[in-house]
Amino acid sequence: MKIAILSRNSSLYSTSRLVEAGRSRGHRVRVLDPLRCYMRIAQNGFAMHYKGRALSGFDAVIPRIGSSITFYGTAVLRQFEMMGVYTPNCSDAVLRARDKLRSLQLLAREGMDLPRTVFGDYPDDTADLLQMLGDPPHVIKLNEGTQGQGVLLAEKRASSQGMIEAFRGLYANFVVQEFIGEAGGGDLRCFVIGNRVAAAMHRQAPDGDFRANLHRGGVASAVRLSELETEVALRAAATMGLGIAGVDLLRSRRGPLVLEVNASPGLEGIEKASGKDIAGEIVAYLEAAAALRKPLVAPRKKRSQG
Ligand code: ADP
Ligand code: MG
Protein backbone atom coordinates (compact mmCIF):
# COMPACT_ATOMS: atom_id res chain seq x y z
CA MET A 1 0.00 0.00 0.00
CA LYS A 2 0.93 3.64 -0.32
CA ILE A 3 0.19 5.31 3.00
CA ALA A 4 0.18 9.01 3.88
CA ILE A 5 0.55 10.20 7.44
CA LEU A 6 -0.75 13.71 8.00
CA SER A 7 1.57 15.11 10.63
CA ARG A 8 3.43 18.36 11.08
CA ASN A 9 6.55 16.72 12.41
CA SER A 10 8.02 13.41 11.29
CA SER A 11 10.30 13.21 14.33
CA LEU A 12 7.39 12.94 16.80
CA TYR A 13 7.33 9.53 18.48
CA SER A 14 3.89 8.55 17.15
CA THR A 15 4.64 9.66 13.61
CA SER A 16 8.04 7.99 13.41
CA ARG A 17 6.69 4.74 14.87
CA LEU A 18 3.91 4.63 12.26
CA VAL A 19 6.43 5.26 9.47
CA GLU A 20 8.67 2.52 10.81
CA ALA A 21 5.78 0.06 11.24
CA GLY A 22 4.42 0.74 7.74
CA ARG A 23 7.78 0.35 6.05
CA SER A 24 8.65 -2.79 7.95
CA ARG A 25 5.40 -4.33 6.70
CA GLY A 26 6.39 -3.55 3.12
CA HIS A 27 4.39 -0.37 2.49
CA ARG A 28 5.41 2.95 0.99
CA VAL A 29 4.89 5.57 3.69
CA ARG A 30 5.09 9.34 3.37
CA VAL A 31 4.71 11.94 6.08
CA LEU A 32 2.85 15.00 4.77
CA ASP A 33 2.66 18.28 6.64
CA PRO A 34 -1.04 19.10 6.32
CA LEU A 35 -0.27 22.82 6.11
CA ARG A 36 1.78 22.18 2.95
CA CYS A 37 -1.08 20.30 1.25
CA TYR A 38 -3.18 22.55 -0.95
CA MET A 39 -6.14 21.59 -2.98
CA ARG A 40 -8.45 22.22 -5.88
CA ILE A 41 -12.16 21.59 -5.51
CA ALA A 42 -14.04 21.42 -8.78
CA GLN A 43 -17.02 19.62 -10.19
CA ASN A 44 -14.83 17.72 -12.60
CA GLY A 45 -12.03 16.82 -10.25
CA PHE A 46 -10.42 17.07 -6.86
CA ALA A 47 -6.68 17.60 -6.81
CA MET A 48 -4.06 18.06 -4.14
CA HIS A 49 -0.54 19.39 -4.42
CA TYR A 50 2.36 19.25 -1.99
CA LYS A 51 5.32 21.60 -2.23
CA GLY A 52 4.67 22.11 -5.95
CA ARG A 53 3.93 18.52 -6.96
CA ALA A 54 0.72 16.55 -7.36
CA LEU A 55 -0.16 13.95 -4.77
CA SER A 56 -1.76 10.79 -6.09
CA GLY A 57 -1.96 7.05 -5.74
CA PHE A 58 -2.44 6.88 -1.96
CA ASP A 59 -4.43 3.92 -0.64
CA ALA A 60 -4.76 5.11 2.95
CA VAL A 61 -4.20 8.22 5.03
CA ILE A 62 -3.62 8.32 8.79
CA PRO A 63 -4.51 11.72 10.26
CA ARG A 64 -2.38 12.97 13.16
CA ILE A 65 -3.82 16.47 13.19
CA GLY A 66 -2.84 18.70 16.10
CA SER A 67 -5.59 20.66 17.84
CA SER A 68 -4.07 23.98 16.73
CA ILE A 69 -4.71 23.16 13.05
CA THR A 70 -8.02 21.31 13.27
CA PHE A 71 -9.76 23.38 10.59
CA TYR A 72 -7.05 23.20 7.95
CA GLY A 73 -6.04 19.65 8.81
CA THR A 74 -9.56 18.26 8.54
CA ALA A 75 -10.06 20.12 5.23
CA VAL A 76 -7.00 18.30 3.86
CA LEU A 77 -8.23 15.00 5.24
CA ARG A 78 -11.65 15.57 3.67
CA GLN A 79 -9.97 16.26 0.33
CA PHE A 80 -8.23 12.87 0.56
CA GLU A 81 -11.62 11.30 1.28
CA MET A 82 -13.12 13.05 -1.77
CA MET A 83 -10.25 11.63 -3.82
CA GLY A 84 -11.21 8.13 -2.69
CA VAL A 85 -8.39 7.52 -0.19
CA TYR A 86 -9.27 5.32 2.80
CA THR A 87 -8.92 6.72 6.31
CA PRO A 88 -9.66 4.97 9.62
CA ASN A 89 -10.70 8.33 11.12
CA CYS A 90 -12.70 10.46 8.71
CA SER A 91 -12.75 14.25 8.89
CA ASP A 92 -16.27 14.39 10.34
CA ALA A 93 -15.35 11.99 13.13
CA VAL A 94 -12.18 13.95 13.94
CA LEU A 95 -14.21 17.18 14.13
CA ARG A 96 -16.85 15.51 16.30
CA ALA A 97 -14.19 14.28 18.74
CA ARG A 98 -12.56 17.71 18.99
CA ASP A 99 -15.74 19.16 20.45
CA LYS A 100 -16.14 17.83 24.02
CA LEU A 101 -19.70 19.04 24.42
CA ARG A 102 -20.87 17.51 21.17
CA SER A 103 -19.07 14.26 21.97
CA LEU A 104 -20.73 14.03 25.39
CA GLN A 105 -24.16 14.69 23.87
CA LEU A 106 -23.67 11.88 21.37
CA LEU A 107 -22.28 9.46 23.95
CA ALA A 108 -25.11 10.15 26.41
CA ARG A 109 -27.68 9.63 23.66
CA GLU A 110 -26.18 6.19 23.08
CA GLY A 111 -26.80 5.40 26.74
CA MET A 112 -23.21 5.74 27.97
CA ASP A 113 -22.59 7.11 31.42
CA LEU A 114 -20.36 10.16 31.84
CA PRO A 115 -19.65 12.84 34.44
CA ARG A 116 -22.82 14.92 34.65
CA THR A 117 -22.19 18.02 32.53
CA VAL A 118 -23.81 21.42 32.11
CA PHE A 119 -23.32 24.13 29.51
CA GLY A 120 -24.81 27.58 29.38
CA ASP A 121 -24.19 31.07 28.12
CA TYR A 122 -26.12 33.79 29.96
CA PRO A 123 -24.58 35.09 33.22
CA ASP A 124 -27.99 35.49 34.88
CA ASP A 125 -28.54 31.74 34.46
CA THR A 126 -25.33 30.62 36.14
CA ALA A 127 -26.85 30.00 39.56
CA ASP A 128 -29.59 27.80 38.13
CA LEU A 129 -27.11 26.10 35.80
CA LEU A 130 -24.98 25.09 38.80
CA GLN A 131 -28.15 23.99 40.58
CA MET A 132 -28.82 21.63 37.65
CA LEU A 133 -25.34 20.19 38.13
CA GLY A 134 -25.38 19.66 41.88
CA ASP A 135 -23.00 20.41 44.72
CA PRO A 136 -19.30 21.20 44.17
CA PRO A 137 -16.52 20.22 43.67
CA HIS A 138 -16.89 20.97 39.96
CA VAL A 139 -14.56 20.54 37.03
CA ILE A 140 -14.54 23.40 34.55
CA LYS A 141 -12.97 22.65 31.20
CA LEU A 142 -12.39 24.40 27.94
CA ASN A 143 -14.49 22.74 25.27
CA GLU A 144 -11.58 22.30 22.89
CA GLY A 145 -8.73 21.97 25.38
CA THR A 146 -6.23 19.10 25.17
CA GLN A 147 -3.51 17.55 27.31
CA GLY A 148 -5.16 18.76 30.49
CA GLN A 149 -4.79 22.43 29.59
CA GLY A 150 -7.80 24.46 30.64
CA VAL A 151 -9.15 21.76 32.99
CA LEU A 152 -9.72 23.31 36.42
CA LEU A 153 -11.09 22.12 39.74
CA ALA A 154 -13.44 24.34 41.74
CA GLU A 155 -13.92 23.12 45.31
CA LYS A 156 -16.60 25.63 46.29
CA ARG A 157 -19.56 27.17 44.55
CA ALA A 158 -17.96 30.62 44.75
CA SER A 159 -14.87 29.40 42.92
CA SER A 160 -17.06 27.74 40.26
CA GLN A 161 -18.82 31.08 39.77
CA GLY A 162 -15.51 32.93 39.60
CA MET A 163 -13.96 30.57 37.05
CA ILE A 164 -17.10 30.61 34.94
CA GLU A 165 -17.04 34.42 34.91
CA ALA A 166 -13.35 34.41 33.99
CA PHE A 167 -13.85 31.98 31.08
CA ARG A 168 -16.85 34.00 29.87
CA GLY A 169 -14.78 37.17 30.04
CA LEU A 170 -12.35 35.49 27.66
CA TYR A 171 -15.20 34.43 25.32
CA ALA A 172 -14.11 30.81 25.78
CA ASN A 173 -16.43 27.84 25.32
CA PHE A 174 -16.38 25.60 28.36
CA VAL A 175 -18.38 22.90 30.12
CA VAL A 176 -18.86 22.35 33.84
CA GLN A 177 -18.92 18.81 35.26
CA GLU A 178 -19.36 16.96 38.49
CA PHE A 179 -15.96 16.06 39.92
CA ILE A 180 -15.46 12.30 40.21
CA GLY A 181 -13.37 12.30 43.38
CA GLU A 182 -13.34 8.53 43.84
CA ALA A 183 -11.25 8.18 40.66
CA GLY A 184 -8.46 9.42 42.93
CA GLY A 185 -6.65 11.37 40.22
CA GLY A 186 -6.48 8.27 38.01
CA ASP A 187 -8.05 7.49 34.67
CA LEU A 188 -7.95 4.73 32.06
CA ARG A 189 -6.72 5.23 28.53
CA CYS A 190 -8.15 2.55 26.26
CA PHE A 191 -6.48 2.36 22.88
CA VAL A 192 -9.10 1.18 20.40
CA ILE A 193 -8.14 -0.17 17.01
CA GLY A 194 -11.19 -1.24 15.00
CA ASN A 195 -13.34 -3.58 16.98
CA ARG A 196 -10.98 -4.27 19.85
CA VAL A 197 -9.09 -2.55 22.64
CA ALA A 198 -5.48 -3.12 21.57
CA ALA A 199 -4.02 -1.91 24.88
CA ALA A 200 -4.98 -0.04 28.01
CA MET A 201 -3.14 1.86 30.68
CA HIS A 202 -3.93 3.43 34.01
CA ARG A 203 -2.67 6.99 34.36
CA GLN A 204 -2.15 8.54 37.75
CA ALA A 205 -1.97 12.29 38.29
CA PRO A 206 1.08 13.62 40.12
CA ASP A 207 0.65 14.64 43.77
CA GLY A 208 -1.45 17.75 44.16
CA ASP A 209 -3.13 17.43 40.75
CA PHE A 210 -6.28 15.60 39.64
CA ARG A 211 -5.43 15.53 35.92
CA ALA A 212 -3.90 12.24 34.83
CA ASN A 213 -2.61 13.44 31.42
CA LEU A 214 0.94 12.23 30.76
CA HIS A 215 1.72 15.75 29.50
CA ARG A 216 0.88 17.01 33.00
CA GLY A 217 3.24 14.57 34.68
CA GLY A 218 0.83 11.64 35.00
CA VAL A 219 2.41 8.21 35.45
CA ALA A 220 1.28 5.31 33.27
CA SER A 221 1.06 1.64 34.16
CA ALA A 222 -0.41 -1.40 32.44
CA VAL A 223 -3.96 -2.26 33.50
CA ARG A 224 -6.48 -5.02 32.86
CA LEU A 225 -9.87 -3.69 31.86
CA SER A 226 -13.07 -5.29 33.04
CA GLU A 227 -15.42 -6.68 30.43
CA LEU A 228 -17.73 -3.71 30.95
CA GLU A 229 -14.89 -1.19 30.56
CA THR A 230 -13.84 -2.86 27.32
CA GLU A 231 -17.39 -2.79 26.02
CA VAL A 232 -17.86 0.88 26.95
CA ALA A 233 -14.57 1.86 25.26
CA LEU A 234 -15.55 0.08 22.04
CA ARG A 235 -19.02 1.60 22.04
CA ALA A 236 -17.63 5.08 22.66
CA ALA A 237 -15.21 4.83 19.71
CA ALA A 238 -17.96 3.42 17.48
CA THR A 239 -20.37 6.18 18.50
CA MET A 240 -17.83 8.76 17.43
CA GLY A 241 -17.22 6.86 14.17
CA LEU A 242 -13.51 6.47 14.87
CA GLY A 243 -11.56 3.41 13.76
CA ILE A 244 -8.60 4.42 15.91
CA ALA A 245 -9.31 6.16 19.21
CA GLY A 246 -8.00 6.80 22.68
CA VAL A 247 -11.02 6.47 24.95
CA ASP A 248 -10.55 7.92 28.42
CA LEU A 249 -12.61 6.40 31.22
CA LEU A 250 -12.97 7.22 34.90
CA ARG A 251 -13.61 4.45 37.42
CA SER A 252 -16.52 5.72 39.49
CA ARG A 253 -18.85 4.30 42.14
CA ARG A 254 -21.56 3.95 39.51
CA GLY A 255 -19.30 2.21 36.97
CA PRO A 256 -17.09 3.34 34.09
CA LEU A 257 -17.69 6.91 32.91
CA VAL A 258 -16.56 8.15 29.51
CA LEU A 259 -14.50 11.33 29.81
CA GLU A 260 -13.54 11.86 26.21
CA VAL A 261 -12.59 10.15 22.98
CA ASN A 262 -9.34 11.24 21.37
CA ALA A 263 -8.99 10.99 17.59
CA SER A 264 -5.17 11.23 17.53
CA PRO A 265 -4.11 9.27 20.61
CA GLY A 266 -0.37 9.31 21.29
CA LEU A 267 1.58 6.07 20.93
CA GLU A 268 4.52 6.65 23.23
CA GLY A 269 2.81 6.25 26.61
CA ILE A 270 0.67 3.30 25.58
CA GLU A 271 3.48 1.38 23.82
CA LYS A 272 5.78 1.83 26.80
CA ALA A 273 3.15 0.95 29.41
CA SER A 274 1.80 -2.08 27.56
CA GLY A 275 4.97 -3.27 25.82
CA LYS A 276 2.89 -3.74 22.66
CA ASP A 277 3.62 -2.79 19.06
CA ILE A 278 0.60 -0.51 18.66
CA ALA A 279 1.96 1.13 15.50
CA GLY A 280 2.24 -2.31 13.89
CA GLU A 281 -1.32 -3.12 14.92
CA ILE A 282 -2.57 0.13 13.39
CA VAL A 283 -0.89 -0.70 10.09
CA ALA A 284 -2.27 -4.26 10.18
CA TYR A 285 -5.73 -2.78 10.75
CA LEU A 286 -5.27 -0.41 7.80
CA GLU A 287 -4.37 -3.35 5.58
CA ALA A 288 -7.61 -5.11 6.45
CA ALA A 289 -9.87 -2.06 6.55
CA ALA A 290 -8.52 -0.35 3.42
CA ALA A 291 -9.41 -3.49 1.48
CA LEU A 292 -13.04 -3.07 2.61
CA ARG A 293 -12.80 0.73 2.32
CA LYS A 294 -14.58 1.40 5.60
CA PRO A 295 -13.65 1.57 9.27
CA LEU A 296 -14.08 -1.75 11.04
CA VAL A 297 -15.86 -0.77 14.23
CA ALA A 298 -17.90 -2.57 16.81
CA PRO A 299 -21.54 -3.02 15.79
CA ARG A 300 -23.91 -0.40 17.11
CA LYS A 301 -27.57 0.40 17.03
CA LYS A 302 -28.66 2.19 13.86
CA ARG A 303 -29.19 5.90 14.47
CA SER A 304 -28.70 9.09 12.53
CA GLN A 305 -25.25 10.60 13.02
CA GLY A 306 -24.79 13.82 14.94
P1 ADP B 1 -8.10 16.96 28.06
O1 ADP B 1 -8.74 16.93 26.72
O2 ADP B 1 -7.38 18.23 28.31
O3 ADP B 1 -7.27 15.72 28.31
P2 ADP B 1 -10.02 15.76 29.92
O4 ADP B 1 -11.47 16.02 29.95
O5 ADP B 1 -9.58 14.45 29.39
O6 ADP B 1 -9.32 16.95 29.10
O7 ADP B 1 -9.46 15.98 31.40
C1 ADP B 1 -8.09 15.84 31.72
C2 ADP B 1 -7.90 14.97 32.94
O8 ADP B 1 -8.52 15.57 34.09
C3 ADP B 1 -8.53 13.59 32.84
O9 ADP B 1 -7.64 12.69 32.21
C4 ADP B 1 -8.84 13.24 34.28
O10 ADP B 1 -7.70 12.71 34.92
C5 ADP B 1 -9.17 14.60 34.91
N1 ADP B 1 -10.61 14.87 34.89
C6 ADP B 1 -11.29 15.47 33.87
N2 ADP B 1 -12.60 15.59 34.16
C7 ADP B 1 -12.79 15.05 35.38
C8 ADP B 1 -13.92 14.87 36.25
N3 ADP B 1 -15.13 15.29 35.88
N4 ADP B 1 -13.72 14.28 37.45
C9 ADP B 1 -12.48 13.86 37.83
N5 ADP B 1 -11.38 14.00 37.07
C10 ADP B 1 -11.51 14.59 35.85
MG1 MG C 1 -8.02 13.76 28.07
Side-chain angles (χ1 to χ4, degrees):
M1 285 201 296
K2 189 170 161 189
I3 302 171
I5 300 173
L6 289 181
S7 168
R8 294 225 60 204
N9 184 348
S10 54
S11 64
L12 293 174
Y13 181 95
S14 302
T15 307
S16 64
R17 282 285 297 123
L18 287 166
V19 171
E20 186 181 47
R23 289 186 182 151
S24 76
R25 294 177 69 96
H27 302 296
R28 282 156 68 200
V29 186
R30 226 178 131 185
V31 177
L32 302 173
D33 176 352
L35 296 187
R36 299 298 305 269
C37 297
Y38 44 102
M39 58 202 107
R40 179 186 68 208
I41 299 110
Q43 180 239 5
N44 60 355
F46 291 97
M48 186 128 61
H49 280 202
Y50 190 73
K51 298 183 182 175
R53 303 183 66 161
L55 289 173
S56 65
F58 285 97
D59 301 292
V61 54
I62 305 177
R64 303 280 323 168
I65 296 164
S67 58
S68 60
I69 59 155
T70 298
F71 180 82
Y72 199 92
T74 52
V76 171
L77 178 58
R78 198 179 309 113
Q79 184 80 358
F80 272 108
E81 291 162 27
M82 301 294 161
M83 292 165 61
V85 182
Y86 168 78
T87 178
N89 289 353
C90 68
S91 52
D92 280 346
V94 173
L95 283 169
R96 218 178 276 140
R98 287 283 148 94
D99 181 338
K100 290 190 205 292
L101 176 68
R102 183 177 177 193
S103 304
L104 293 173
Q105 287 172 319
L106 296 172
L107 294 164
R109 182 178 70 178
E110 292 295 317
M112 268 163 276
D113 203 357
L114 27 101
R116 206 175 317 119
T117 302
V118 297
F119 177 70
D121 179 66
Y122 205 69
D124 289 357
D125 301 329
T126 303
D128 191 41
L129 185 75
L130 292 180
Q131 200 66 38
M132 287 166 76
L133 180 60
D135 289 335
H138 297 146
V139 174
I140 297 160
K141 54 176 87 164
L142 287 176
N143 194 50
E144 301 205 4
T146 57
Q147 306 180 343
Q149 283 160 355
V151 179
L152 306 170
L153 180 62
E155 313 253 12
K156 302 242 158 60
R157 196 166 292 261
S159 29
S160 283
Q161 293 260 14
M163 289 180 199
I164 289 170
E165 280 161 21
F167 273 162
R168 286 218 178 104
L170 297 168
Y171 300 99
N173 276 320
F174 58 92
V175 297
V176 189
Q177 293 186 325
E178 67 174 314
F179 173 61
I180 308 300
E182 66 266 28
D187 75 358
L188 302 172
R189 162 56 61 91
C190 313
F191 204 105
V192 175
I193 303 179
N195 53 11
R196 54 188 212 92
V197 177
M201 62 180 164
H202 178 266
R203 301 181 299 188
Q204 184 61 43
D207 274 350
D209 203 335
F210 70 102
R211 298 164 302 171
N213 304 69
L214 301 184
H215 286 95
R216 303 260 77 76
V219 175
S221 54
V223 70
R224 266 187 79 88
L225 299 182
S226 71
E227 236 172 82
L228 179 60
E229 286 162 350
T230 302
E231 186 201 313
V232 168
L234 293 177
R235 279 182 60 208
T239 298
M240 304 302 293
L242 293 167
I244 296 166
V247 181
D248 293 345
L249 303 180
L250 286 180
R251 281 181 165 157
S252 82
R253 272 192 283 275
R254 57 179 197 265
L257 307 181
V258 184
L259 252 192
E260 64 164 350
V261 183
N262 294 277
S264 288
L267 297 185
E268 187 168 11
I270 195 78
E271 287 199 331
K272 290 187 174 153
S274 68
K276 290 186 180 165
D277 173 14
I278 300 298
E281 295 199 32
I282 289 176
V283 175
Y285 168 71
L286 275 192
E287 291 163 4
L292 296 172
R293 307 205 65 77
K294 66 181 174 68
L296 301 168
V297 296
R300 59 182 282 243
K301 286 179 284 179
K302 259 245 157 317
R303 267 215 173 128
S304 62
Q305 293 216 319

